[in-house]
Amino acid sequence: AQSVTQLDSQVPVFEEAPVELRCNYSSSVSVYLFWYVQYPNQGLQLLLKYLSGSTLVKGINGFEAEFNKSQTSFHLRKPSVHISDTAEYFCALGYSSASKIIFGSGTRLSIRP
Amino acid sequence: NAGVTQTPKFQVLKTGQSMTLQCAQDMNHNSMYWYRQDPGMGLRLIYYSASEGTTDKGEVPNGYNVSRLNKREFSLRLESAAPSQTSVYFCASEQSTEAFFGQGTRLTVV
């Protein structure tokens, strides 16, 4: 069975500091990996996705993630965060188009001025 | 450009009442999903539909039914609401691995 683990439920950082949100997955088959962001009282929107090819994936708002097959990880990074990045971030996996999309439990990113 | 539209946005039910959450997408996507979001638990899949006319159970289907009425619409029904179904419900549609979410329905069962 496939699963996604987000290791940190909350991550506080200072504005303009770098941040890494951790995600590990478990699957017996090849997967697609995603990061979604949820701003307060809104639905989720896609930040970035890994389907195949280059293991470093760039997304919107300056975020990037690196797929590491040997460590079964897909950590999200940003070199310098802004107050507007305050949100909850979800790692997710799928294994084909139209397959189930399985989400992690989320990481709440709070930015301190 | 509406995307995925959910109705209602808020609902309060009494235990034992029934209701249907509506979802419609205007992107001509084949796949649609219903999730519930609870604090600390992320999004859990209730049901999904890979195409018009098909539905499959997700992680937490008990207490729910779904109908894929046509390609656009995918409804979620609670036949006899329970307090454990208090949650925020999200509908999503997906094409070529990218999922698009509605704004959510906040349901409280008292």
Side-chain angles (χ1 to χ4, degrees), chain A residues 32 34 36 38 41-44 46 49 51 88 90 96-106, chain B residues 31 33 35 37 40-43 45 48 50 57-58 90 94-99 101-103 106:
Chain A
Y32 301 148
F34 310 88
Y36 284 85
Q38 184 181 33
N41 299 314
Q42 294 189 27
L44 282 73
L46 184 68
K49 61 183 176 183
L51 304 182
E88 190 155 19
F90 293 92
S96 67
S97 182
S99 71
K100 298 184 290 185
I101 303 174
I102 298 167
F103 284 83
S105 55
Chain B
S31 301
Y33 305 82
Y35 291 89
Q37 183 179 23
M41 304 187 75
L43 277 76
L45 183 63
Y48 68 107
K57 294 179 180 179
F90 286 99
E94 180 261 340
Q95 188 86 358
S96 302
T97 76
E98 182 163 352
F101 285 81
Q103 294 295 295
R106 188 173 295 274

mmCIF file of all heavy atoms in Angstrom, chain A residues 32 34 36 38 41-44 46 49 51 88 90 96-106, chain B residues 31 33 35 37 40-43 45 48 50 57-58 90 94-99 101-103 106:
data_model
loop_
_atom_site.group_PDB
_atom_site.id
_atom_site.type_symbol
_atom_site.label_atom_id
_atom_site.label_comp_id
_atom_site.label_asym_id
_atom_site.label_seq_id
_atom_site.Cartn_x
_atom_site.Cartn_y
_atom_site.Cartn_z
ATOM 1 N N TYR A 32 4.009 9.218 -8.751
ATOM 2 C CA TYR A 32 4.095 10.647 -9.011
ATOM 3 C C TYR A 32 4.018 11.324 -7.646
ATOM 4 O O TYR A 32 3.288 10.870 -6.757
ATOM 5 C CB TYR A 32 2.925 11.125 -9.862
ATOM 6 C CG TYR A 32 2.780 10.455 -11.203
ATOM 7 C CD1 TYR A 32 1.521 10.261 -11.758
ATOM 8 C CD2 TYR A 32 3.885 10.022 -11.929
ATOM 9 C CE1 TYR A 32 1.353 9.663 -12.996
ATOM 10 C CE2 TYR A 32 3.731 9.420 -13.167
ATOM 11 C CZ TYR A 32 2.464 9.238 -13.695
ATOM 12 O OH TYR A 32 2.305 8.645 -14.921
ATOM 13 N N PHE A 34 3.653 15.127 -5.400
ATOM 14 C CA PHE A 34 3.107 16.470 -5.492
ATOM 15 C C PHE A 34 3.309 17.213 -4.170
ATOM 16 O O PHE A 34 3.354 16.597 -3.108
ATOM 17 C CB PHE A 34 1.598 16.422 -5.770
ATOM 18 C CG PHE A 34 1.184 15.531 -6.901
ATOM 19 C CD1 PHE A 34 0.924 14.181 -6.672
ATOM 20 C CD2 PHE A 34 1.046 16.021 -8.177
ATOM 21 C CE1 PHE A 34 0.537 13.353 -7.708
ATOM 22 C CE2 PHE A 34 0.664 15.196 -9.225
ATOM 23 C CZ PHE A 34 0.403 13.863 -8.985
ATOM 24 N N TYR A 36 1.112 20.427 -2.463
ATOM 25 C CA TYR A 36 -0.003 21.358 -2.558
ATOM 26 C C TYR A 36 0.107 22.352 -1.410
ATOM 27 O O TYR A 36 0.599 22.027 -0.322
ATOM 28 C CB TYR A 36 -1.339 20.623 -2.436
ATOM 29 C CG TYR A 36 -1.741 19.868 -3.681
ATOM 30 C CD1 TYR A 36 -1.267 18.584 -3.908
ATOM 31 C CD2 TYR A 36 -2.594 20.437 -4.613
ATOM 32 C CE1 TYR A 36 -1.632 17.883 -5.056
ATOM 33 C CE2 TYR A 36 -2.967 19.748 -5.764
ATOM 34 C CZ TYR A 36 -2.478 18.476 -5.969
ATOM 35 O OH TYR A 36 -2.840 17.787 -7.101
ATOM 36 N N GLN A 38 -2.275 25.135 0.953
ATOM 37 C CA GLN A 38 -3.622 25.556 1.338
ATOM 38 C C GLN A 38 -3.511 26.818 2.172
ATOM 39 O O GLN A 38 -3.029 26.772 3.316
ATOM 40 C CB GLN A 38 -4.338 24.462 2.126
ATOM 41 C CG GLN A 38 -5.774 24.817 2.472
ATOM 42 C CD GLN A 38 -6.459 23.733 3.271
ATOM 43 O OE1 GLN A 38 -5.835 23.033 4.066
ATOM 44 N NE2 GLN A 38 -7.756 23.569 3.070
ATOM 45 N N ASN A 41 -8.678 29.080 4.926
ATOM 46 C CA ASN A 41 -10.068 29.071 4.445
ATOM 47 C C ASN A 41 -10.178 28.941 2.928
ATOM 48 O O ASN A 41 -11.133 29.453 2.325
ATOM 49 C CB ASN A 41 -10.799 30.337 4.914
ATOM 50 C CG ASN A 41 -10.848 30.424 6.420
ATOM 51 O OD1 ASN A 41 -11.169 29.444 7.090
ATOM 52 N ND2 ASN A 41 -10.487 31.574 6.962
ATOM 53 N N GLN A 42 -9.219 28.288 2.335
ATOM 54 C CA GLN A 42 -9.267 28.064 0.895
ATOM 55 C C GLN A 42 -9.067 26.589 0.582
ATOM 56 O O GLN A 42 -8.717 25.794 1.454
ATOM 57 C CB GLN A 42 -8.196 28.907 0.191
ATOM 58 C CG GLN A 42 -8.422 30.403 0.283
ATOM 59 C CD GLN A 42 -7.475 31.172 -0.598
ATOM 60 O OE1 GLN A 42 -7.005 30.659 -1.617
ATOM 61 N NE2 GLN A 42 -7.191 32.402 -0.231
ATOM 62 N N GLY A 43 -9.281 26.250 -0.674
ATOM 63 C CA GLY A 43 -8.969 24.905 -1.146
ATOM 64 C C GLY A 43 -7.482 24.762 -1.387
ATOM 65 O O GLY A 43 -6.698 25.664 -1.112
ATOM 66 N N LEU A 44 -7.081 23.619 -1.889
ATOM 67 C CA LEU A 44 -5.672 23.359 -2.146
ATOM 68 C C LEU A 44 -5.320 23.746 -3.576
ATOM 69 O O LEU A 44 -6.139 23.632 -4.483
ATOM 70 C CB LEU A 44 -5.364 21.869 -1.973
ATOM 71 C CG LEU A 44 -5.218 21.356 -0.554
ATOM 72 C CD1 LEU A 44 -6.552 21.274 0.154
ATOM 73 C CD2 LEU A 44 -4.548 19.989 -0.566
ATOM 74 N N LEU A 46 -1.953 23.397 -6.494
ATOM 75 C CA LEU A 46 -0.723 22.684 -6.780
ATOM 76 C C LEU A 46 0.469 23.634 -6.767
ATOM 77 O O LEU A 46 0.466 24.672 -7.420
ATOM 78 C CB LEU A 46 -0.832 22.001 -8.148
ATOM 79 C CG LEU A 46 0.343 21.134 -8.561
ATOM 80 C CD1 LEU A 46 0.441 19.895 -7.670
ATOM 81 C CD2 LEU A 46 0.199 20.713 -10.020
ATOM 82 N N LYS A 49 5.065 19.363 -9.062
ATOM 83 C CA LYS A 49 4.879 17.922 -9.168
ATOM 84 C C LYS A 49 6.097 17.274 -9.814
ATOM 85 O O LYS A 49 6.792 17.899 -10.626
ATOM 86 C CB LYS A 49 3.629 17.581 -9.974
ATOM 87 C CG LYS A 49 3.645 18.083 -11.412
ATOM 88 C CD LYS A 49 2.320 17.756 -12.103
ATOM 89 C CE LYS A 49 2.278 18.329 -13.510
ATOM 90 N NZ LYS A 49 0.966 18.075 -14.174
ATOM 91 N N LEU A 51 6.910 13.930 -12.026
ATOM 92 C CA LEU A 51 6.364 12.798 -12.775
ATOM 93 C C LEU A 51 7.479 11.856 -13.204
ATOM 94 O O LEU A 51 7.384 10.636 -13.064
ATOM 95 C CB LEU A 51 5.595 13.296 -13.995
ATOM 96 C CG LEU A 51 4.457 14.290 -13.711
ATOM 97 C CD1 LEU A 51 3.755 14.672 -15.007
ATOM 98 C CD2 LEU A 51 3.471 13.716 -12.714
ATOM 99 N N GLU A 88 -0.679 25.988 5.001
ATOM 100 C CA GLU A 88 -0.428 24.573 5.268
ATOM 101 C C GLU A 88 -0.017 23.907 3.963
ATOM 102 O O GLU A 88 -0.596 24.180 2.901
ATOM 103 C CB GLU A 88 -1.663 23.894 5.852
ATOM 104 C CG GLU A 88 -1.380 22.493 6.372
ATOM 105 C CD GLU A 88 -2.349 22.028 7.452
ATOM 106 O OE1 GLU A 88 -3.436 22.611 7.559
ATOM 107 O OE2 GLU A 88 -2.005 21.069 8.173
ATOM 108 N N PHE A 90 0.889 20.338 1.868
ATOM 109 C CA PHE A 90 0.593 18.912 1.826
ATOM 110 C C PHE A 90 1.423 18.229 0.749
ATOM 111 O O PHE A 90 1.444 18.669 -0.401
ATOM 112 C CB PHE A 90 -0.887 18.672 1.522
ATOM 113 C CG PHE A 90 -1.814 19.108 2.610
ATOM 114 C CD1 PHE A 90 -2.366 20.372 2.615
ATOM 115 C CD2 PHE A 90 -2.137 18.250 3.657
ATOM 116 C CE1 PHE A 90 -3.220 20.787 3.622
ATOM 117 C CE2 PHE A 90 -2.996 18.645 4.676
ATOM 118 C CZ PHE A 90 -3.541 19.919 4.656
ATOM 119 N N SER A 96 -0.643 6.955 -11.227
ATOM 120 C CA SER A 96 -0.953 7.084 -12.640
ATOM 121 C C SER A 96 -1.984 8.190 -12.747
ATOM 122 O O SER A 96 -2.550 8.620 -11.740
ATOM 123 C CB SER A 96 -1.504 5.779 -13.209
ATOM 124 O OG SER A 96 -2.769 5.495 -12.627
ATOM 125 N N SER A 97 -2.223 8.618 -13.950
ATOM 126 C CA SER A 97 -3.324 9.553 -14.139
ATOM 127 C C SER A 97 -4.621 8.835 -13.804
ATOM 128 O O SER A 97 -4.787 7.655 -14.103
ATOM 129 C CB SER A 97 -3.356 10.022 -15.586
ATOM 130 O OG SER A 97 -4.383 10.961 -15.777
ATOM 131 N N ALA A 98 -5.496 9.493 -13.099
ATOM 132 C CA ALA A 98 -6.792 8.943 -12.679
ATOM 133 C C ALA A 98 -6.674 7.932 -11.547
ATOM 134 O O ALA A 98 -7.625 7.249 -11.221
ATOM 135 C CB ALA A 98 -7.551 8.314 -13.839
ATOM 136 N N SER A 99 -5.498 7.821 -10.929
ATOM 137 C CA SER A 99 -5.407 6.966 -9.745
ATOM 138 C C SER A 99 -5.786 7.792 -8.517
ATOM 139 O O SER A 99 -5.913 9.004 -8.577
ATOM 140 C CB SER A 99 -3.987 6.440 -9.574
ATOM 141 O OG SER A 99 -3.120 7.487 -9.176
ATOM 142 N N LYS A 100 -5.927 7.088 -7.391
ATOM 143 C CA LYS A 100 -6.141 7.788 -6.135
ATOM 144 C C LYS A 100 -4.961 8.712 -5.864
ATOM 145 O O LYS A 100 -3.816 8.374 -6.152
ATOM 146 C CB LYS A 100 -6.252 6.792 -4.993
ATOM 147 C CG LYS A 100 -7.424 5.847 -5.114
ATOM 148 C CD LYS A 100 -7.525 4.962 -3.891
ATOM 149 C CE LYS A 100 -6.418 3.950 -3.807
ATOM 150 N NZ LYS A 100 -6.616 3.022 -2.673
ATOM 151 N N ILE A 101 -5.227 9.866 -5.274
ATOM 152 C CA ILE A 101 -4.172 10.756 -4.817
ATOM 153 C C ILE A 101 -4.186 10.676 -3.296
ATOM 154 O O ILE A 101 -5.208 10.947 -2.666
ATOM 155 C CB ILE A 101 -4.389 12.200 -5.289
ATOM 156 C CG1 ILE A 101 -4.490 12.243 -6.817
ATOM 157 C CG2 ILE A 101 -3.246 13.090 -4.805
ATOM 158 C CD1 ILE A 101 -4.859 13.602 -7.364
ATOM 159 N N ILE A 102 -3.073 10.289 -2.715
ATOM 160 C CA ILE A 102 -2.980 10.067 -1.273
ATOM 161 C C ILE A 102 -2.179 11.197 -0.656
ATOM 162 O O ILE A 102 -1.071 11.496 -1.104
ATOM 163 C CB ILE A 102 -2.325 8.709 -0.984
ATOM 164 C CG1 ILE A 102 -3.196 7.590 -1.568
ATOM 165 C CG2 ILE A 102 -2.129 8.509 0.516
ATOM 166 C CD1 ILE A 102 -2.522 6.253 -1.615
ATOM 167 N N PHE A 103 -2.742 11.802 0.387
ATOM 168 C CA PHE A 103 -2.125 12.974 1.000
ATOM 169 C C PHE A 103 -1.464 12.635 2.330
ATOM 170 O O PHE A 103 -1.906 11.742 3.059
ATOM 171 C CB PHE A 103 -3.190 14.047 1.250
ATOM 172 C CG PHE A 103 -3.606 14.772 0.010
ATOM 173 C CD1 PHE A 103 -4.557 14.220 -0.833
ATOM 174 C CD2 PHE A 103 -3.038 15.987 -0.324
ATOM 175 C CE1 PHE A 103 -4.946 14.882 -1.986
ATOM 176 C CE2 PHE A 103 -3.417 16.661 -1.480
ATOM 177 C CZ PHE A 103 -4.372 16.096 -2.309
ATOM 178 N N GLY A 104 -0.431 13.399 2.647
ATOM 179 C CA GLY A 104 0.138 13.371 3.979
ATOM 180 C C GLY A 104 -0.713 14.204 4.921
ATOM 181 O O GLY A 104 -1.715 14.801 4.526
ATOM 182 N N SER A 105 -0.279 14.255 6.179
ATOM 183 C CA SER A 105 -1.087 14.914 7.212
ATOM 184 C C SER A 105 -0.908 16.428 7.244
ATOM 185 O O SER A 105 -1.604 17.113 7.977
ATOM 186 C CB SER A 105 -0.745 14.338 8.586
ATOM 187 O OG SER A 105 0.637 14.454 8.818
ATOM 188 N N GLY A 106 0.022 16.948 6.461
ATOM 189 C CA GLY A 106 0.177 18.393 6.345
ATOM 190 C C GLY A 106 1.227 18.962 7.280
ATOM 191 O O GLY A 106 1.492 18.421 8.363
ATOM 192 N N SER B 31 -11.621 12.460 -14.045
ATOM 193 C CA SER B 31 -11.567 11.971 -12.664
ATOM 194 C C SER B 31 -12.056 13.028 -11.687
ATOM 195 O O SER B 31 -11.729 14.203 -11.806
ATOM 196 C CB SER B 31 -10.126 11.602 -12.299
ATOM 197 O OG SER B 31 -9.630 10.623 -13.169
ATOM 198 N N TYR B 33 -13.009 13.501 -7.213
ATOM 199 C CA TYR B 33 -12.720 12.952 -5.890
ATOM 200 C C TYR B 33 -13.504 13.696 -4.814
ATOM 201 O O TYR B 33 -13.805 14.881 -4.956
ATOM 202 C CB TYR B 33 -11.226 13.146 -5.558
ATOM 203 C CG TYR B 33 -10.271 12.591 -6.567
ATOM 204 C CD1 TYR B 33 -9.937 13.295 -7.712
ATOM 205 C CD2 TYR B 33 -9.673 11.345 -6.365
ATOM 206 C CE1 TYR B 33 -9.047 12.779 -8.635
ATOM 207 C CE2 TYR B 33 -8.776 10.826 -7.288
ATOM 208 C CZ TYR B 33 -8.476 11.545 -8.422
ATOM 209 O OH TYR B 33 -7.590 11.027 -9.331
ATOM 210 N N TYR B 35 -12.845 14.311 -0.664
ATOM 211 C CA TYR B 35 -11.980 14.160 0.492
ATOM 212 C C TYR B 35 -12.638 14.812 1.698
ATOM 213 O O TYR B 35 -13.429 15.730 1.562
ATOM 214 C CB TYR B 35 -10.639 14.874 0.276
ATOM 215 C CG TYR B 35 -9.730 14.258 -0.748
ATOM 216 C CD1 TYR B 35 -9.796 14.619 -2.085
ATOM 217 C CD2 TYR B 35 -8.771 13.322 -0.371
ATOM 218 C CE1 TYR B 35 -8.941 14.058 -3.027
ATOM 219 C CE2 TYR B 35 -7.905 12.760 -1.309
ATOM 220 C CZ TYR B 35 -7.999 13.134 -2.632
ATOM 221 O OH TYR B 35 -7.157 12.576 -3.556
ATOM 222 N N GLN B 37 -11.255 16.703 5.346
ATOM 223 C CA GLN B 37 -10.066 17.226 5.998
ATOM 224 C C GLN B 37 -10.354 17.434 7.466
ATOM 225 O O GLN B 37 -11.269 18.181 7.833
ATOM 226 C CB GLN B 37 -9.614 18.552 5.372
ATOM 227 C CG GLN B 37 -8.330 19.095 5.989
ATOM 228 C CD GLN B 37 -7.868 20.390 5.350
ATOM 229 O OE1 GLN B 37 -8.651 21.130 4.764
ATOM 230 N NE2 GLN B 37 -6.578 20.664 5.456
ATOM 231 N N GLY B 40 -4.845 17.666 11.739
ATOM 232 C CA GLY B 40 -3.779 16.706 12.001
ATOM 233 C C GLY B 40 -3.855 15.426 11.195
ATOM 234 O O GLY B 40 -3.010 14.546 11.362
ATOM 235 N N MET B 41 -4.854 15.321 10.331
ATOM 236 C CA MET B 41 -5.014 14.078 9.573
ATOM 237 C C MET B 41 -4.915 14.277 8.072
ATOM 238 O O MET B 41 -5.077 13.337 7.301
ATOM 239 C CB MET B 41 -6.338 13.410 9.927
ATOM 240 C CG MET B 41 -6.477 13.150 11.415
ATOM 241 S SD MET B 41 -7.904 12.196 11.851
ATOM 242 C CE MET B 41 -7.387 10.576 11.347
ATOM 243 N N GLY B 42 -4.644 15.471 7.645
ATOM 244 C CA GLY B 42 -4.528 15.719 6.214
ATOM 245 C C GLY B 42 -5.856 15.525 5.511
ATOM 246 O O GLY B 42 -6.929 15.696 6.098
ATOM 247 N N LEU B 43 -5.798 15.157 4.248
ATOM 248 C CA LEU B 43 -7.001 14.876 3.477
ATOM 249 C C LEU B 43 -7.136 13.368 3.330
ATOM 250 O O LEU B 43 -6.193 12.697 2.915
ATOM 251 C CB LEU B 43 -6.923 15.517 2.091
ATOM 252 C CG LEU B 43 -7.312 16.980 2.014
ATOM 253 C CD1 LEU B 43 -6.208 17.860 2.564
ATOM 254 C CD2 LEU B 43 -7.630 17.375 0.581
ATOM 255 N N LEU B 45 -9.297 10.306 1.528
ATOM 256 C CA LEU B 45 -10.148 10.064 0.379
ATOM 257 C C LEU B 45 -11.387 9.287 0.784
ATOM 258 O O LEU B 45 -11.297 8.218 1.398
ATOM 259 C CB LEU B 45 -9.361 9.295 -0.683
ATOM 260 C CG LEU B 45 -10.071 9.018 -1.999
ATOM 261 C CD1 LEU B 45 -10.400 10.329 -2.720
ATOM 262 C CD2 LEU B 45 -9.199 8.130 -2.875
ATOM 263 N N TYR B 48 -13.847 8.114 -5.056
ATOM 264 C CA TYR B 48 -13.392 8.760 -6.267
ATOM 265 C C TYR B 48 -14.070 8.113 -7.469
ATOM 266 O O TYR B 48 -14.628 7.018 -7.377
ATOM 267 C CB TYR B 48 -11.874 8.743 -6.388
ATOM 268 C CG TYR B 48 -11.233 7.394 -6.602
ATOM 269 C CD1 TYR B 48 -10.704 7.042 -7.831
ATOM 270 C CD2 TYR B 48 -11.107 6.494 -5.549
ATOM 271 C CE1 TYR B 48 -10.090 5.811 -8.018
ATOM 272 C CE2 TYR B 48 -10.503 5.266 -5.736
ATOM 273 C CZ TYR B 48 -9.995 4.933 -6.956
ATOM 274 O OH TYR B 48 -9.390 3.713 -7.147
ATOM 275 N N ALA B 50 -13.130 7.563 -11.535
ATOM 276 C CA ALA B 50 -12.119 7.695 -12.579
ATOM 277 C C ALA B 50 -12.733 8.167 -13.894
ATOM 278 O O ALA B 50 -12.025 8.703 -14.753
ATOM 279 C CB ALA B 50 -11.391 6.372 -12.779
ATOM 280 N N LYS B 57 -14.420 3.139 -3.760
ATOM 281 C CA LYS B 57 -14.228 3.559 -2.383
ATOM 282 C C LYS B 57 -12.790 4.007 -2.159
ATOM 283 O O LYS B 57 -11.857 3.461 -2.728
ATOM 284 C CB LYS B 57 -14.556 2.403 -1.436
ATOM 285 C CG LYS B 57 -16.010 1.996 -1.455
ATOM 286 C CD LYS B 57 -16.261 0.826 -0.509
ATOM 287 C CE LYS B 57 -17.734 0.423 -0.549
ATOM 288 N NZ LYS B 57 -18.008 -0.729 0.357
ATOM 289 N N GLY B 58 -12.655 4.993 -1.280
ATOM 290 C CA GLY B 58 -11.339 5.428 -0.843
ATOM 291 C C GLY B 58 -11.030 4.870 0.529
ATOM 292 O O GLY B 58 -11.437 3.766 0.874
ATOM 293 N N PHE B 90 -13.840 18.423 0.689
ATOM 294 C CA PHE B 90 -13.313 18.982 -0.542
ATOM 295 C C PHE B 90 -13.597 18.051 -1.713
ATOM 296 O O PHE B 90 -13.368 16.842 -1.628
ATOM 297 C CB PHE B 90 -11.800 19.203 -0.464
ATOM 298 C CG PHE B 90 -11.408 20.370 0.391
ATOM 299 C CD1 PHE B 90 -10.996 20.184 1.696
ATOM 300 C CD2 PHE B 90 -11.465 21.661 -0.119
ATOM 301 C CE1 PHE B 90 -10.636 21.270 2.488
ATOM 302 C CE2 PHE B 90 -11.105 22.751 0.659
ATOM 303 C CZ PHE B 90 -10.703 22.551 1.968
ATOM 304 N N GLU B 94 -9.450 15.923 -11.679
ATOM 305 C CA GLU B 94 -8.062 15.687 -12.066
ATOM 306 C C GLU B 94 -7.959 15.272 -13.523
ATOM 307 O O GLU B 94 -8.795 14.529 -14.037
ATOM 308 C CB GLU B 94 -7.455 14.595 -11.179
ATOM 309 C CG GLU B 94 -6.006 14.251 -11.482
ATOM 310 C CD GLU B 94 -5.864 13.012 -12.342
ATOM 311 O OE1 GLU B 94 -6.810 12.211 -12.407
ATOM 312 O OE2 GLU B 94 -4.803 12.843 -12.970
ATOM 313 N N GLN B 95 -6.941 15.802 -14.150
ATOM 314 C CA GLN B 95 -6.630 15.424 -15.523
ATOM 315 C C GLN B 95 -5.122 15.472 -15.679
ATOM 316 O O GLN B 95 -4.487 16.436 -15.280
ATOM 317 C CB GLN B 95 -7.292 16.394 -16.507
ATOM 318 C CG GLN B 95 -7.200 15.999 -17.954
ATOM 319 C CD GLN B 95 -8.339 15.058 -18.380
ATOM 320 O OE1 GLN B 95 -9.186 14.658 -17.591
ATOM 321 N NE2 GLN B 95 -8.356 14.718 -19.637
ATOM 322 N N SER B 96 -4.546 14.409 -16.241
ATOM 323 C CA SER B 96 -3.102 14.356 -16.490
ATOM 324 C C SER B 96 -2.293 14.665 -15.244
ATOM 325 O O SER B 96 -1.349 15.447 -15.281
ATOM 326 C CB SER B 96 -2.722 15.330 -17.607
ATOM 327 O OG SER B 96 -3.438 15.031 -18.785
ATOM 328 N N THR B 97 -2.677 14.063 -14.151
ATOM 329 C CA THR B 97 -2.002 14.110 -12.838
ATOM 330 C C THR B 97 -2.177 15.403 -12.067
ATOM 331 O O THR B 97 -1.735 15.492 -10.935
ATOM 332 C CB THR B 97 -0.485 13.819 -12.929
ATOM 333 O OG1 THR B 97 0.192 14.968 -13.451
ATOM 334 C CG2 THR B 97 -0.193 12.594 -13.780
ATOM 335 N N GLU B 98 -2.790 16.434 -12.614
ATOM 336 C CA GLU B 98 -2.976 17.656 -11.828
ATOM 337 C C GLU B 98 -4.402 17.725 -11.298
ATOM 338 O O GLU B 98 -5.364 17.629 -12.057
ATOM 339 C CB GLU B 98 -2.678 18.901 -12.656
ATOM 340 C CG GLU B 98 -2.815 20.185 -11.838
ATOM 341 C CD GLU B 98 -2.168 21.377 -12.470
ATOM 342 O OE1 GLU B 98 -1.467 21.214 -13.488
ATOM 343 O OE2 GLU B 98 -2.346 22.496 -11.933
ATOM 344 N N ALA B 99 -4.526 17.882 -9.980
ATOM 345 C CA ALA B 99 -5.835 17.961 -9.329
ATOM 346 C C ALA B 99 -6.182 19.413 -9.037
ATOM 347 O O ALA B 99 -5.324 20.203 -8.646
ATOM 348 C CB ALA B 99 -5.842 17.156 -8.036
ATOM 349 N N PHE B 101 -8.986 21.769 -6.844
ATOM 350 C CA PHE B 101 -9.883 21.631 -5.701
ATOM 351 C C PHE B 101 -10.918 22.735 -5.647
ATOM 352 O O PHE B 101 -10.667 23.875 -6.044
ATOM 353 C CB PHE B 101 -9.065 21.657 -4.401
ATOM 354 C CG PHE B 101 -8.327 20.386 -4.139
ATOM 355 C CD1 PHE B 101 -7.124 20.130 -4.761
ATOM 356 C CD2 PHE B 101 -8.850 19.434 -3.279
ATOM 357 C CE1 PHE B 101 -6.433 18.945 -4.534
ATOM 358 C CE2 PHE B 101 -8.178 18.248 -3.046
ATOM 359 C CZ PHE B 101 -6.973 18.008 -3.683
ATOM 360 N N GLY B 102 -12.090 22.374 -5.121
ATOM 361 C CA GLY B 102 -13.080 23.363 -4.778
ATOM 362 C C GLY B 102 -12.708 24.071 -3.488
ATOM 363 O O GLY B 102 -11.685 23.756 -2.855
ATOM 364 N N GLN B 103 -13.558 25.004 -3.074
ATOM 365 C CA GLN B 103 -13.268 25.828 -1.893
ATOM 366 C C GLN B 103 -13.643 25.129 -0.591
ATOM 367 O O GLN B 103 -13.332 25.624 0.485
ATOM 368 C CB GLN B 103 -13.998 27.163 -1.998
ATOM 369 C CG GLN B 103 -13.486 28.035 -3.138
ATOM 370 C CD GLN B 103 -12.058 28.471 -2.914
ATOM 371 O OE1 GLN B 103 -11.763 29.210 -1.985
ATOM 372 N NE2 GLN B 103 -11.143 28.005 -3.751
ATOM 373 N N ARG B 106 -17.870 23.290 4.803
ATOM 374 C CA ARG B 106 -17.667 23.064 6.242
ATOM 375 C C ARG B 106 -18.973 22.537 6.821
ATOM 376 O O ARG B 106 -19.974 23.250 6.860
ATOM 377 C CB ARG B 106 -17.244 24.364 6.918
ATOM 378 C CG ARG B 106 -16.823 24.200 8.371
ATOM 379 C CD ARG B 106 -16.265 25.495 8.932
ATOM 380 N NE ARG B 106 -15.026 25.888 8.273
ATOM 381 C CZ ARG B 106 -13.817 25.463 8.618
ATOM 382 N NH1 ARG B 106 -13.665 24.638 9.638
ATOM 383 N NH2 ARG B 106 -12.748 25.879 7.967
#
